[in-house]
Amino acid sequence: MAAVSFYDTTSDDRLRFAVVNAKYNGFWVFCKHKARRTYELPGGRREAGEDIVSTAKRELWEETGASDFTLKPVCIYAVTGRTRAVPEGGENLGMLFYADIRAFGKLPQSGEMERIVLFANPPDTPSYWTYPDIQPYLVREYQRRYTTGKALSV
């Protein structure tokens, strides 16, 4: 089982992932991967030479088709342990973002996602999540920080 923790700062070169809590017209946006029956937040690995904001924008577009959105950083997250995304384990850092999506284009045909799904609230059943040991904590941390005004400023 992975452990998730949160930070306000780290050096940019340590960030390997970007994950985006996204909403469209008040609904949570989740992705349904072609090879899985579960749902996940848009996000993924940072590519060589890419800054973390560009990673978040690219992943949001690739996994949802979002074409018009506002993106804001929330916090740094750390996942310690072995996960599907990082089977070798250890501590892996990423940036958590929030996106307010105003419009979608077509979902990229060459992508991994089958479709997007809109939820009034994030799923409360672990079997709905692709990463149940990680992503529900990212949603709760986003909600906590935006409720208390402790999200990172740009």
Side-chain angles (χ1 to χ4, degrees), residues 30-101:
F30 282 80
C31 306
K32 164 65 179 68
H33 195 283
K34 291 176 182 175
R36 298 189 271 273
R37 295 182 179 168
T38 52
Y39 303 101
E40 54 201 71
L41 297 170
R45 289 182 190 259
R46 181 180 185 169
E47 293 181 355
E50 188 175 55
D51 65 75
I52 201 66
V53 172
S54 296
T55 301
K57 290 177 180 178
R58 176 183 52 77
E59 289 289 347
L60 185 61
W61 175 76
E62 286 178 356
E63 296 188 356
T64 70
S67 59
D68 184 17
F69 54 87
T70 302
L71 186 71
K72 297 179 181 178
V74 175
C75 65
I76 309 318
Y77 70 92
V79 176
T80 305
R82 295 177 189 269
T83 65
R84 180 182 301 179
V86 186
E88 68 272 15
E91 182 181 64
N92 289 283
L93 299 174
M95 176 69 81
L96 180 61
F97 291 89
Y98 169 72
D100 182 22
I101 300 173

Side-chain angles (χ1 to χ4, degrees), residues 23-24 26-31 39 117-123 128:
K23 287 187 177 180
Y24 172 73
F27 288 90
W28 289 84
V29 178
F30 282 80
C31 306
Y39 303 101
V117 180
L118 303 178
F119 287 99
N121 296 298
Y128 285 143

